[in-house]
């Protein structure tokens, strides 16, 4: 059995060890580089804390499965989210988590998605209209921003029962407020010292203002749902806010602050992840015209001018394209956990509370799991002997696996269908200049394109 201090470790930079690297937007790539050099278990230091990086697919699977009993999210996360009034299902632990998880799962179960589908169709129709306008304007746009409006409309409709119509408006107040919130949360969760409590930087001030704006909007929406519940006979909740306001009747411990935190968590977890997955998918398709053409042919077989119906038809090539995109461009490439007790991970003894960085994307580029792993080849997912998701964890795993995965995949399919039914993208930059930026989720930086009718 080895001690953590006996593991190899990349060279440190400065007094804080590897904090310099951990703060950077390409830390997930850096970790892949370190994995090649130091193996699938190595050590990092953040201030006084030693952390274990785990890039071994089997160990990652075991750890994910051993939650919630043996591992929890790193305790920084709960503290940072609690301080921001955002301690919902993603960041909470123990009984609090169980209670919140049950409500969230209820709101995202297949029956609920079926009932929600007409709203998704309306929002997708509006997305198509927006694409028509953009194609007529023939100007470069940030594709990620366009997808973000779409996913924010869907998530806010599901979470708050409110059609924000961000897709149809030029302003996007909720989404732009969230854009100042995500990176700061990410930075704070990984920071060895809570410097923001001593000194508010420009970003911290934008964070406070953004969060205040969102919370004011949410407080109004909660009141609206309360009025609807009081005035009528709502027995089956139509949205997540209603579900929680109804729960408040039976559970005094569920405060308005909790409701805001839970609703914000859905936005946080559902908006950027799905928008960035869409953006990476169309980026990869724009670089691989044959795969794009094959997708268009498949979509043309299901194109009656309307958004995809429920249940969604079988679209095997689209499925393969999405899986391949999530393999090469995982928007959640790592998660941070810690053991609840002293334990062993592989042959390493680890004490309670040691930060564990799980490199969820470790298997993605490993030739042991995917032949010609660097290349974009959706057909690996359609071959009989082809690839398996066993080595990938795009949605995490175990009891805390992403509860929004079915919703996310439905959104992604409906948006791709709407886009390629009538349009194509012409990227406006050298594809190699589109960078990966990891700040809570991994987004394409500088991806601009014009939308043309195909
Ligand atoms: C392509 C899109 C998405 C990706 C790649 C993604 C990925 C993830 C990952 C990796 C986790 C951590 C899982 C773990 O700890 O094992 C997670 C958690 C979570 N996701 Fe997603 N997600 C996506 C979309 C969504 C959507 C649309 C929603 C809901 C609207 C959502 C809600 C959540 C919630 C609530 C959690 C916390 C679960 C818990 O801690 O129990 N996600 N997601």
């Amino acid at each position: 059995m080895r001690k953590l201090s006996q593991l190899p470790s990349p060279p440190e930079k400065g007094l804080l060890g590897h904090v310099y690297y951990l703060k950077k937007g390409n830390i997930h790539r850096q970790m892949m580089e370190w994995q090649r050099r130091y193996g699938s278990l190595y050590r990092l230091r953040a201030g006084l804390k030693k952390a274990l990086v785990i890039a071994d697919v089997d160990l990652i699977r075991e750890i994910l499965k051993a939650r919630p009993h043996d591992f929890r999210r790193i305790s920084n996360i709960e503290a940072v989210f609690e301080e921001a009034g955002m301690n919902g299902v993603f960041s909470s632990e123990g009984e609090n988590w169980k209670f919140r998880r049950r409500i969230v799962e209820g709101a995202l179960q297949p029956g609920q998605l079926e009932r929600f589908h007409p709203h998704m169709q309306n929002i997708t129709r509006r997305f198509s209209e927006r694409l028509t306008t953009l194609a007529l304007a023939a100007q470069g746009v940030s594709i990620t921003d366009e997808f973000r409006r779409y996913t924010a409309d869907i998530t806010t409709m599901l979470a708050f029962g409110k059609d924000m119509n961000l897709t149809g408006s030029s302003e996007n107040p909720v989404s732009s407020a969230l854009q100042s919130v995500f990176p700061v949360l990410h930075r704070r969760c990984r920071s060895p010292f809570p410097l923001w409590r001593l000194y508010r930087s420009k970003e911290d001030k934008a964070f406070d203002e953004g969060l205040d704006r969102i919370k004011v909007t949410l407080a109004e929406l909660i009141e609206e749902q309360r009025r609807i519940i009081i005035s009528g006979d709502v027995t089956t909740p139509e949205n997540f806010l209603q579900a929680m306001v109804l729960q408040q009747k039976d559970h005094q411990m569920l405060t308005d602050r909790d409701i805001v935190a839970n609703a914000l968590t859905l936005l946080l977890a559902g908006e950027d992840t799905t928008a960035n997955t869409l953006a990476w998918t169309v980026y990869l398709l724009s670089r691989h015209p044959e795969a794009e053409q094959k997708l268009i042919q498949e979509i043309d077989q299901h194109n009656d001018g309307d958004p995809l119906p429920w249940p969604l038809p079988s679209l095997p090539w689209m499925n393969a394209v999405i899986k391949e995109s999530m393999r090469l461009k995982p928007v959640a490439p790592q998660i941070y956990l810690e053991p609840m007790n002293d334990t062993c991970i592989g042959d390493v003894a680890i004490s309670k509370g040691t930060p564990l960085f799980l490199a969820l994307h470790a298997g993605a580029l490993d030739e042991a799991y995917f032949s010609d792993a660097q290349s974009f080849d959706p057909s690996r997912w359609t071959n009989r002997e082809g690839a398996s998701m066993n080595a990938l964890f795009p949605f995490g795993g175990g009891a805390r696996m992403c509860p929004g995965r079915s919703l996310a995949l439905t959104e992604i399919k409906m948006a791709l269908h709407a886009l390629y039914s009538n349009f194509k993208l012409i990227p406006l930059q050298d594809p190699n200049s589109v960078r990966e930026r990891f700040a809570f989720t991994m987004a394409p930086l500088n991806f601009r394109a014009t939308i043309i009718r195909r």
Side-chain angles (χ1 to χ4, degrees), residues 64 67 73 89-90 97 101 104 108 155 158 265-266 269-270 273-274 277 326 331-332 335 360 393-397 399-405 407-408 411-412:
L64 292 176
R67 291 181 300 169
R73 295 201 196 285
V89 62
F90 178 80
W97 168 74
R101 175 88 194 192
V104 170
L108 293 167
T155 320
L158 180 95
T265 298
L266 274 204
T273 43
T274 315
T277 303
M326 291 201 295
V331 300
I335 54 173
L360 295 182
F393 309 95
F395 294 110
R400 297 201 72 155
M401 188 178 198
C402 174
R405 56 197 185 280
L407 171 66
E411 282 177 67
I412 291 170

mmCIF file of all heavy atoms in Angstrom, residues 64 67 73 89-90 97 101 104 108 155 158 265-266 269-270 273-274 277 326 331-332 335 360 393-397 399-405 407-408 411-412, ligand 1:
data_model
loop_
_atom_site.group_PDB
_atom_site.id
_atom_site.type_symbol
_atom_site.label_atom_id
_atom_site.label_comp_id
_atom_site.label_asym_id
_atom_site.label_seq_id
_atom_site.Cartn_x
_atom_site.Cartn_y
_atom_site.Cartn_z
ATOM 1 N N LEU A 64 -17.750 6.402 -8.149
ATOM 2 C CA LEU A 64 -19.064 6.987 -8.451
ATOM 3 C C LEU A 64 -20.177 6.120 -7.862
ATOM 4 O O LEU A 64 -21.166 6.628 -7.331
ATOM 5 C CB LEU A 64 -19.252 7.136 -9.966
ATOM 6 C CG LEU A 64 -18.352 8.162 -10.666
ATOM 7 C CD1 LEU A 64 -18.582 8.142 -12.176
ATOM 8 C CD2 LEU A 64 -18.574 9.569 -10.126
ATOM 9 N N ARG A 67 -21.186 6.224 -3.947
ATOM 10 C CA ARG A 67 -21.885 7.381 -3.372
ATOM 11 C C ARG A 67 -23.345 7.014 -3.136
ATOM 12 O O ARG A 67 -23.875 6.150 -3.836
ATOM 13 C CB ARG A 67 -21.813 8.583 -4.324
ATOM 14 C CG ARG A 67 -20.423 9.148 -4.428
ATOM 15 C CD ARG A 67 -20.405 10.338 -5.360
ATOM 16 N NE ARG A 67 -20.847 9.966 -6.686
ATOM 17 C CZ ARG A 67 -21.137 10.854 -7.651
ATOM 18 N NH1 ARG A 67 -21.033 12.133 -7.404
ATOM 19 N NH2 ARG A 67 -21.531 10.454 -8.828
ATOM 20 N N ARG A 73 -19.405 15.175 -2.526
ATOM 21 C CA ARG A 73 -18.716 16.221 -3.260
ATOM 22 C C ARG A 73 -17.777 16.922 -2.292
ATOM 23 O O ARG A 73 -18.033 16.966 -1.072
ATOM 24 C CB ARG A 73 -19.712 17.229 -3.855
ATOM 25 C CG ARG A 73 -20.610 16.612 -4.899
ATOM 26 C CD ARG A 73 -21.221 17.632 -5.832
ATOM 27 N NE ARG A 73 -22.335 17.039 -6.560
ATOM 28 C CZ ARG A 73 -22.230 16.174 -7.571
ATOM 29 N NH1 ARG A 73 -21.028 15.828 -8.004
ATOM 30 N NH2 ARG A 73 -23.290 15.672 -8.156
ATOM 31 N N VAL A 89 -29.692 20.624 -5.005
ATOM 32 C CA VAL A 89 -29.395 19.190 -5.078
ATOM 33 C C VAL A 89 -27.946 18.910 -5.494
ATOM 34 O O VAL A 89 -27.348 17.925 -5.050
ATOM 35 C CB VAL A 89 -30.399 18.474 -6.023
ATOM 36 C CG1 VAL A 89 -30.312 18.986 -7.421
ATOM 37 C CG2 VAL A 89 -30.201 16.961 -6.014
ATOM 38 N N PHE A 90 -27.353 19.768 -6.316
ATOM 39 C CA PHE A 90 -25.988 19.492 -6.777
ATOM 40 C C PHE A 90 -24.978 19.561 -5.644
ATOM 41 O O PHE A 90 -24.070 18.731 -5.548
ATOM 42 C CB PHE A 90 -25.590 20.483 -7.886
ATOM 43 C CG PHE A 90 -24.187 20.285 -8.376
ATOM 44 C CD1 PHE A 90 -23.896 19.279 -9.286
ATOM 45 C CD2 PHE A 90 -23.144 21.068 -7.900
ATOM 46 C CE1 PHE A 90 -22.596 19.058 -9.723
ATOM 47 C CE2 PHE A 90 -21.838 20.864 -8.324
ATOM 48 C CZ PHE A 90 -21.570 19.853 -9.248
ATOM 49 N N TRP A 97 -29.720 16.240 0.661
ATOM 50 C CA TRP A 97 -29.574 15.842 -0.741
ATOM 51 C C TRP A 97 -30.682 14.874 -1.141
ATOM 52 O O TRP A 97 -31.323 15.044 -2.175
ATOM 53 C CB TRP A 97 -28.195 15.198 -0.995
ATOM 54 C CG TRP A 97 -28.158 14.539 -2.338
ATOM 55 C CD1 TRP A 97 -28.088 15.154 -3.549
ATOM 56 C CD2 TRP A 97 -28.266 13.129 -2.607
ATOM 57 N NE1 TRP A 97 -28.130 14.225 -4.563
ATOM 58 C CE2 TRP A 97 -28.236 12.977 -4.018
ATOM 59 C CE3 TRP A 97 -28.374 11.996 -1.805
ATOM 60 C CZ2 TRP A 97 -28.318 11.727 -4.633
ATOM 61 C CZ3 TRP A 97 -28.450 10.760 -2.416
ATOM 62 C CH2 TRP A 97 -28.429 10.629 -3.809
ATOM 63 N N ARG A 101 -33.127 15.539 -4.114
ATOM 64 C CA ARG A 101 -32.961 14.665 -5.284
ATOM 65 C C ARG A 101 -34.325 14.074 -5.675
ATOM 66 O O ARG A 101 -34.646 13.953 -6.844
ATOM 67 C CB ARG A 101 -31.943 13.563 -4.944
ATOM 68 C CG ARG A 101 -31.741 12.515 -6.006
ATOM 69 C CD ARG A 101 -30.679 12.891 -7.021
ATOM 70 N NE ARG A 101 -30.740 12.031 -8.171
ATOM 71 C CZ ARG A 101 -29.832 11.950 -9.125
ATOM 72 N NH1 ARG A 101 -28.758 12.713 -9.086
ATOM 73 N NH2 ARG A 101 -29.970 11.156 -10.142
ATOM 74 N N VAL A 104 -36.316 16.637 -7.553
ATOM 75 C CA VAL A 104 -35.755 16.880 -8.899
ATOM 76 C C VAL A 104 -36.052 15.697 -9.816
ATOM 77 O O VAL A 104 -36.452 15.877 -10.974
ATOM 78 C CB VAL A 104 -34.229 17.126 -8.794
ATOM 79 C CG1 VAL A 104 -33.585 17.122 -10.166
ATOM 80 C CG2 VAL A 104 -33.968 18.453 -8.116
ATOM 81 N N LEU A 108 -38.166 15.446 -13.495
ATOM 82 C CA LEU A 108 -37.455 15.103 -14.732
ATOM 83 C C LEU A 108 -37.742 13.680 -15.219
ATOM 84 O O LEU A 108 -37.099 13.198 -16.145
ATOM 85 C CB LEU A 108 -35.940 15.276 -14.519
ATOM 86 C CG LEU A 108 -35.476 16.719 -14.292
ATOM 87 C CD1 LEU A 108 -34.052 16.756 -13.782
ATOM 88 C CD2 LEU A 108 -35.598 17.533 -15.557
ATOM 89 N N THR A 155 -35.098 25.245 -19.848
ATOM 90 C CA THR A 155 -34.882 24.966 -18.416
ATOM 91 C C THR A 155 -35.735 25.889 -17.541
ATOM 92 O O THR A 155 -36.292 25.440 -16.535
ATOM 93 C CB THR A 155 -33.382 25.110 -18.041
ATOM 94 O OG1 THR A 155 -32.599 24.565 -19.085
ATOM 95 C CG2 THR A 155 -33.053 24.379 -16.768
ATOM 96 N N LEU A 158 -39.278 24.640 -17.567
ATOM 97 C CA LEU A 158 -39.439 23.436 -16.740
ATOM 98 C C LEU A 158 -39.322 23.779 -15.248
ATOM 99 O O LEU A 158 -40.099 23.303 -14.421
ATOM 100 C CB LEU A 158 -38.366 22.402 -17.105
ATOM 101 C CG LEU A 158 -38.464 21.124 -16.300
ATOM 102 C CD1 LEU A 158 -39.275 20.086 -17.069
ATOM 103 C CD2 LEU A 158 -37.092 20.560 -15.986
ATOM 104 N N THR A 265 -30.264 25.751 -9.053
ATOM 105 C CA THR A 265 -29.411 24.600 -9.344
ATOM 106 C C THR A 265 -29.788 23.976 -10.682
ATOM 107 O O THR A 265 -28.927 23.594 -11.471
ATOM 108 C CB THR A 265 -29.538 23.542 -8.225
ATOM 109 O OG1 THR A 265 -29.084 24.135 -7.031
ATOM 110 C CG2 THR A 265 -28.705 22.318 -8.520
ATOM 111 N N LEU A 266 -31.095 23.870 -10.940
ATOM 112 C CA LEU A 266 -31.519 23.297 -12.221
ATOM 113 C C LEU A 266 -31.000 24.148 -13.377
ATOM 114 O O LEU A 266 -30.518 23.631 -14.389
ATOM 115 C CB LEU A 266 -33.038 23.216 -12.305
ATOM 116 C CG LEU A 266 -33.725 21.998 -11.722
ATOM 117 C CD1 LEU A 266 -35.068 21.778 -12.382
ATOM 118 C CD2 LEU A 266 -32.899 20.732 -11.870
ATOM 119 N N ALA A 269 -27.240 23.672 -13.629
ATOM 120 C CA ALA A 269 -26.819 22.355 -14.112
ATOM 121 C C ALA A 269 -27.308 22.088 -15.530
ATOM 122 O O ALA A 269 -26.691 21.321 -16.261
ATOM 123 C CB ALA A 269 -27.355 21.267 -13.167
ATOM 124 N N GLY A 270 -28.416 22.725 -15.918
ATOM 125 C CA GLY A 270 -29.037 22.324 -17.175
ATOM 126 C C GLY A 270 -28.765 23.216 -18.363
ATOM 127 O O GLY A 270 -28.868 22.770 -19.500
ATOM 128 N N THR A 273 -24.453 23.264 -19.718
ATOM 129 C CA THR A 273 -24.017 21.917 -20.102
ATOM 130 C C THR A 273 -24.621 21.530 -21.454
ATOM 131 O O THR A 273 -23.912 21.085 -22.368
ATOM 132 C CB THR A 273 -24.485 20.888 -19.052
ATOM 133 O OG1 THR A 273 -25.839 21.205 -18.711
ATOM 134 C CG2 THR A 273 -23.618 20.878 -17.830
ATOM 135 N N THR A 274 -25.929 21.736 -21.591
ATOM 136 C CA THR A 274 -26.619 21.313 -22.808
ATOM 137 C C THR A 274 -26.242 22.227 -23.976
ATOM 138 O O THR A 274 -25.989 21.744 -25.097
ATOM 139 C CB THR A 274 -28.146 21.309 -22.564
ATOM 140 O OG1 THR A 274 -28.399 20.682 -21.303
ATOM 141 C CG2 THR A 274 -28.877 20.569 -23.651
ATOM 142 N N THR A 277 -22.744 21.353 -25.141
ATOM 143 C CA THR A 277 -22.711 20.074 -25.870
ATOM 144 C C THR A 277 -23.216 20.294 -27.296
ATOM 145 O O THR A 277 -22.639 19.784 -28.268
ATOM 146 C CB THR A 277 -23.582 19.017 -25.146
ATOM 147 O OG1 THR A 277 -23.096 18.885 -23.815
ATOM 148 C CG2 THR A 277 -23.520 17.665 -25.832
ATOM 149 N N MET A 326 -19.790 13.971 -27.365
ATOM 150 C CA MET A 326 -19.602 13.989 -25.906
ATOM 151 C C MET A 326 -18.298 13.280 -25.520
ATOM 152 O O MET A 326 -17.717 13.578 -24.489
ATOM 153 C CB MET A 326 -20.803 13.356 -25.204
ATOM 154 C CG MET A 326 -22.044 14.230 -25.329
ATOM 155 S SD MET A 326 -23.336 13.935 -24.098
ATOM 156 C CE MET A 326 -23.814 12.321 -24.491
ATOM 157 N N VAL A 331 -18.385 18.189 -21.770
ATOM 158 C CA VAL A 331 -18.536 19.517 -21.156
ATOM 159 C C VAL A 331 -18.326 19.480 -19.640
ATOM 160 O O VAL A 331 -18.143 20.510 -19.008
ATOM 161 C CB VAL A 331 -19.895 20.152 -21.512
ATOM 162 C CG1 VAL A 331 -20.032 20.318 -23.010
ATOM 163 C CG2 VAL A 331 -21.061 19.358 -20.948
ATOM 164 N N ALA A 332 -18.399 18.264 -19.051
ATOM 165 C CA ALA A 332 -18.081 18.125 -17.617
ATOM 166 C C ALA A 332 -16.928 17.119 -17.514
ATOM 167 O O ALA A 332 -17.135 15.971 -17.152
ATOM 168 C CB ALA A 332 -19.306 17.638 -16.845
ATOM 169 N N ILE A 335 -14.986 15.903 -11.995
ATOM 170 C CA ILE A 335 -15.738 16.304 -10.799
ATOM 171 C C ILE A 335 -14.841 16.117 -9.577
ATOM 172 O O ILE A 335 -13.871 15.356 -9.616
ATOM 173 C CB ILE A 335 -17.064 15.522 -10.623
ATOM 174 C CG1 ILE A 335 -16.846 14.015 -10.629
ATOM 175 C CG2 ILE A 335 -18.080 15.917 -11.657
ATOM 176 C CD1 ILE A 335 -18.126 13.248 -10.287
ATOM 177 N N LEU A 360 -13.166 12.491 -15.443
ATOM 178 C CA LEU A 360 -14.226 11.687 -16.071
ATOM 179 C C LEU A 360 -13.915 11.392 -17.539
ATOM 180 O O LEU A 360 -14.415 10.430 -18.110
ATOM 181 C CB LEU A 360 -15.567 12.432 -15.996
ATOM 182 C CG LEU A 360 -16.153 12.679 -14.603
ATOM 183 C CD1 LEU A 360 -17.502 13.372 -14.706
ATOM 184 C CD2 LEU A 360 -16.305 11.381 -13.816
ATOM 185 N N PHE A 393 -18.014 8.853 -18.897
ATOM 186 C CA PHE A 393 -18.962 9.261 -17.851
ATOM 187 C C PHE A 393 -19.466 10.676 -18.133
ATOM 188 O O PHE A 393 -19.311 11.566 -17.296
ATOM 189 C CB PHE A 393 -18.285 9.217 -16.476
ATOM 190 C CG PHE A 393 -17.591 7.914 -16.181
ATOM 191 C CD1 PHE A 393 -16.231 7.764 -16.424
ATOM 192 C CD2 PHE A 393 -18.304 6.837 -15.681
ATOM 193 C CE1 PHE A 393 -15.595 6.564 -16.161
ATOM 194 C CE2 PHE A 393 -17.679 5.633 -15.417
ATOM 195 C CZ PHE A 393 -16.320 5.492 -15.654
ATOM 196 N N PRO A 394 -20.070 10.916 -19.306
ATOM 197 C CA PRO A 394 -20.466 12.296 -19.609
ATOM 198 C C PRO A 394 -21.491 12.833 -18.614
ATOM 199 O O PRO A 394 -21.563 14.039 -18.385
ATOM 200 C CB PRO A 394 -21.062 12.202 -21.018
ATOM 201 C CG PRO A 394 -21.405 10.773 -21.223
ATOM 202 C CD PRO A 394 -20.461 9.985 -20.373
ATOM 203 N N PHE A 395 -22.275 11.919 -18.013
ATOM 204 C CA PHE A 395 -23.292 12.349 -17.048
ATOM 205 C C PHE A 395 -22.938 11.890 -15.631
ATOM 206 O O PHE A 395 -23.809 11.809 -14.769
ATOM 207 C CB PHE A 395 -24.659 11.789 -17.450
ATOM 208 C CG PHE A 395 -25.191 12.357 -18.757
ATOM 209 C CD1 PHE A 395 -25.277 11.570 -19.896
ATOM 210 C CD2 PHE A 395 -25.597 13.674 -18.838
ATOM 211 C CE1 PHE A 395 -25.757 12.096 -21.098
ATOM 212 C CE2 PHE A 395 -26.078 14.215 -20.022
ATOM 213 C CZ PHE A 395 -26.153 13.424 -21.157
ATOM 214 N N GLY A 396 -21.684 11.590 -15.361
ATOM 215 C CA GLY A 396 -21.289 11.089 -14.046
ATOM 216 C C GLY A 396 -21.763 9.654 -13.880
ATOM 217 O O GLY A 396 -21.862 8.901 -14.857
ATOM 218 N N GLY A 397 -22.062 9.252 -12.638
ATOM 219 C CA GLY A 397 -22.494 7.871 -12.412
ATOM 220 C C GLY A 397 -22.960 7.649 -10.993
ATOM 221 O O GLY A 397 -22.822 8.526 -10.127
ATOM 222 N N ALA A 399 -25.496 6.981 -7.706
ATOM 223 C CA ALA A 399 -26.733 7.609 -7.223
ATOM 224 C C ALA A 399 -26.810 9.100 -7.549
ATOM 225 O O ALA A 399 -27.892 9.676 -7.569
ATOM 226 C CB ALA A 399 -26.836 7.409 -5.712
ATOM 227 N N ARG A 400 -25.660 9.722 -7.822
ATOM 228 C CA ARG A 400 -25.682 11.163 -8.098
ATOM 229 C C ARG A 400 -25.513 11.459 -9.580
ATOM 230 O O ARG A 400 -25.213 12.584 -9.982
ATOM 231 C CB ARG A 400 -24.612 11.872 -7.271
ATOM 232 C CG ARG A 400 -24.889 11.732 -5.799
ATOM 233 C CD ARG A 400 -24.207 12.772 -4.972
ATOM 234 N NE ARG A 400 -24.800 14.084 -5.118
ATOM 235 C CZ ARG A 400 -24.729 15.032 -4.189
ATOM 236 N NH1 ARG A 400 -24.133 14.782 -3.056
ATOM 237 N NH2 ARG A 400 -25.267 16.222 -4.394
ATOM 238 N N MET A 401 -25.735 10.432 -10.406
ATOM 239 C CA MET A 401 -25.660 10.648 -11.849
ATOM 240 C C MET A 401 -26.656 11.739 -12.252
ATOM 241 O O MET A 401 -27.710 11.893 -11.624
ATOM 242 C CB MET A 401 -26.024 9.346 -12.557
ATOM 243 C CG MET A 401 -25.814 9.374 -14.029
ATOM 244 S SD MET A 401 -26.250 7.731 -14.651
ATOM 245 C CE MET A 401 -25.461 7.764 -16.235
ATOM 246 N N CYS A 402 -26.322 12.451 -13.318
ATOM 247 C CA CYS A 402 -27.150 13.579 -13.756
ATOM 248 C C CYS A 402 -28.612 13.164 -13.946
ATOM 249 O O CYS A 402 -28.920 12.324 -14.790
ATOM 250 C CB CYS A 402 -26.598 14.108 -15.075
ATOM 251 S SG CYS A 402 -27.645 15.377 -15.792
ATOM 252 N N PRO A 403 -29.535 13.769 -13.188
ATOM 253 C CA PRO A 403 -30.955 13.415 -13.347
ATOM 254 C C PRO A 403 -31.576 14.084 -14.579
ATOM 255 O O PRO A 403 -32.701 13.781 -14.940
ATOM 256 C CB PRO A 403 -31.595 13.952 -12.066
ATOM 257 C CG PRO A 403 -30.705 15.075 -11.641
ATOM 258 C CD PRO A 403 -29.322 14.764 -12.123
ATOM 259 N N GLY A 404 -30.811 14.999 -15.230
ATOM 260 C CA GLY A 404 -31.366 15.734 -16.370
ATOM 261 C C GLY A 404 -30.950 15.157 -17.713
ATOM 262 O O GLY A 404 -31.181 15.774 -18.747
ATOM 263 N N ARG A 405 -30.363 13.942 -17.696
ATOM 264 C CA ARG A 405 -29.784 13.445 -18.952
ATOM 265 C C ARG A 405 -30.815 13.207 -20.048
ATOM 266 O O ARG A 405 -30.564 13.522 -21.217
ATOM 267 C CB ARG A 405 -28.902 12.208 -18.713
ATOM 268 C CG ARG A 405 -29.603 11.066 -18.018
ATOM 269 C CD ARG A 405 -28.593 10.081 -17.462
ATOM 270 N NE ARG A 405 -29.239 8.913 -16.878
ATOM 271 C CZ ARG A 405 -29.782 8.887 -15.664
ATOM 272 N NH1 ARG A 405 -29.748 9.958 -14.890
ATOM 273 N NH2 ARG A 405 -30.368 7.785 -15.218
ATOM 274 N N LEU A 407 -33.719 14.745 -20.414
ATOM 275 C CA LEU A 407 -34.146 16.059 -20.899
ATOM 276 C C LEU A 407 -33.068 16.631 -21.825
ATOM 277 O O LEU A 407 -33.364 17.134 -22.916
ATOM 278 C CB LEU A 407 -34.375 17.006 -19.717
ATOM 279 C CG LEU A 407 -34.617 18.470 -20.097
ATOM 280 C CD1 LEU A 407 -35.929 18.624 -20.862
ATOM 281 C CD2 LEU A 407 -34.628 19.371 -18.875
ATOM 282 N N ALA A 408 -31.808 16.531 -21.387
ATOM 283 C CA ALA A 408 -30.709 17.108 -22.179
ATOM 284 C C ALA A 408 -30.656 16.473 -23.570
ATOM 285 O O ALA A 408 -30.566 17.171 -24.582
ATOM 286 C CB ALA A 408 -29.384 16.900 -21.450
ATOM 287 N N GLU A 411 -33.500 17.711 -25.711
ATOM 288 C CA GLU A 411 -33.247 19.082 -26.189
ATOM 289 C C GLU A 411 -32.248 19.083 -27.337
ATOM 290 O O GLU A 411 -32.430 19.755 -28.348
ATOM 291 C CB GLU A 411 -32.619 19.916 -25.060
ATOM 292 C CG GLU A 411 -33.563 20.399 -24.026
ATOM 293 C CD GLU A 411 -32.812 21.145 -22.927
ATOM 294 O OE1 GLU A 411 -32.253 22.217 -23.188
ATOM 295 O OE2 GLU A 411 -32.776 20.642 -21.791
ATOM 296 N N ILE A 412 -31.177 18.316 -27.154
ATOM 297 C CA ILE A 412 -30.101 18.301 -28.154
ATOM 298 C C ILE A 412 -30.641 17.790 -29.488
ATOM 299 O O ILE A 412 -30.411 18.379 -30.548
ATOM 300 C CB ILE A 412 -28.917 17.432 -27.648
ATOM 301 C CG1 ILE A 412 -28.235 18.129 -26.474
ATOM 302 C CG2 ILE A 412 -27.918 17.151 -28.765
ATOM 303 C CD1 ILE A 412 -27.221 17.290 -25.732
HETATM 304 C C1 LIG B 1 -25.507 17.494 -21.997
HETATM 305 C C2 LIG B 1 -25.984 18.021 -20.885
HETATM 306 C C3 LIG B 1 -25.572 17.640 -19.498
HETATM 307 C C4 LIG B 1 -24.414 17.070 -19.051
HETATM 308 C C5 LIG B 1 -23.201 16.663 -19.881
HETATM 309 C C6 LIG B 1 -24.536 16.918 -17.614
HETATM 310 C C7 LIG B 1 -23.554 16.368 -16.810
HETATM 311 C C8 LIG B 1 -23.665 16.239 -15.439
HETATM 312 C C9 LIG B 1 -22.646 15.669 -14.586
HETATM 313 C C10 LIG B 1 -21.298 15.129 -15.033
HETATM 314 C C11 LIG B 1 -23.108 15.732 -13.320
HETATM 315 C C12 LIG B 1 -22.386 15.234 -12.064
HETATM 316 C C13 LIG B 1 -22.843 13.815 -11.849
HETATM 317 C C14 LIG B 1 -22.126 13.067 -10.754
HETATM 318 O O1 LIG B 1 -21.720 13.675 -9.752
HETATM 319 O O2 LIG B 1 -21.969 11.843 -10.909
HETATM 320 C C15 LIG B 1 -24.430 16.320 -13.350
HETATM 321 C C16 LIG B 1 -25.229 16.533 -12.233
HETATM 322 C C17 LIG B 1 -26.462 17.126 -12.283
HETATM 323 N N1 LIG B 1 -27.157 17.517 -13.399
HETATM 324 FE FE1 LIG B 1 -26.522 17.350 -15.325
HETATM 325 N N2 LIG B 1 -25.747 17.396 -17.221
HETATM 326 C C18 LIG B 1 -26.428 17.836 -18.332
HETATM 327 C C19 LIG B 1 -27.700 18.396 -18.371
HETATM 328 C C20 LIG B 1 -28.529 18.560 -17.291
HETATM 329 C C21 LIG B 1 -29.880 19.080 -17.337
HETATM 330 C C22 LIG B 1 -30.623 19.479 -18.622
HETATM 331 C C23 LIG B 1 -30.341 19.136 -16.051
HETATM 332 C C24 LIG B 1 -31.669 19.602 -15.532
HETATM 333 C C25 LIG B 1 -32.366 20.577 -16.023
HETATM 334 C C26 LIG B 1 -29.285 18.648 -15.193
HETATM 335 C C27 LIG B 1 -29.368 18.552 -13.826
HETATM 336 C C28 LIG B 1 -28.363 18.048 -13.012
HETATM 337 C C29 LIG B 1 -28.453 18.015 -11.560
HETATM 338 C C30 LIG B 1 -29.621 18.519 -10.720
HETATM 339 C C31 LIG B 1 -27.258 17.432 -11.102
HETATM 340 C C32 LIG B 1 -26.859 17.165 -9.648
HETATM 341 C C33 LIG B 1 -27.253 15.732 -9.285
HETATM 342 C C34 LIG B 1 -26.882 15.329 -7.848
HETATM 343 O O3 LIG B 1 -25.905 15.852 -7.306
HETATM 344 O O4 LIG B 1 -27.590 14.456 -7.297
HETATM 345 N N3 LIG B 1 -28.204 18.308 -15.972
HETATM 346 N N4 LIG B 1 -24.752 16.608 -14.658
#
